[in-house]
Amino acid sequence: MIKQGAEITIVPSGRLEEMKLSGLAGIRGIIIEDLCYNGRKNKGCMVCLDTPYMGEYTWFIPVESIKIKE
């Protein structure tokens, strides 16, 4: 389970590329909602970015592209 409020960095992944969101790689943000529960087909999190991407701050990021800041 990923904690709400955790700081993350978006890393490249095949899933991110499939979503045509490779430009998000390297951007930092904060988890605002964990969507990795059982039964969900597309696991990931809603993330509020530090800087806007395509004019938006809030994006769904697949779990494969989330690196939690330690």
Side-chain angles (χ1 to χ4, degrees), residues 7-70:
E7 292 182 38
I8 62 117
T9 300
I10 301 169
V11 295
S13 73
R15 182 76 179 116
L16 197 65
E17 193 172 318
E18 280 177 23
M19 296 170 65
K20 301 191 185 320
L21 294 174
S22 296
L24 286 169
I27 297 177
R28 293 182 306 214
I30 295 177
I31 303 282
I32 55 175
E33 186 178 0
D34 179 6
L35 299 172
C36 293
Y37 51 85
N38 284 339
R40 184 170 169 87
K41 182 178 177 181
N42 295 315
K43 295 183 183 341
C45 295
M46 294 303 294
V47 175
C48 182
L49 306 177
D50 288 346
T51 57
Y53 179 74
M54 294 175 45
E56 298 290 334
Y57 281 94
T58 305
W59 288 87
F60 173 82
I61 306 299
V63 72
E64 300 92 340
S65 293
I66 294 175
K67 180 180 176 192
I68 298 174
K69 182 179 175 184
E70 296 179 18

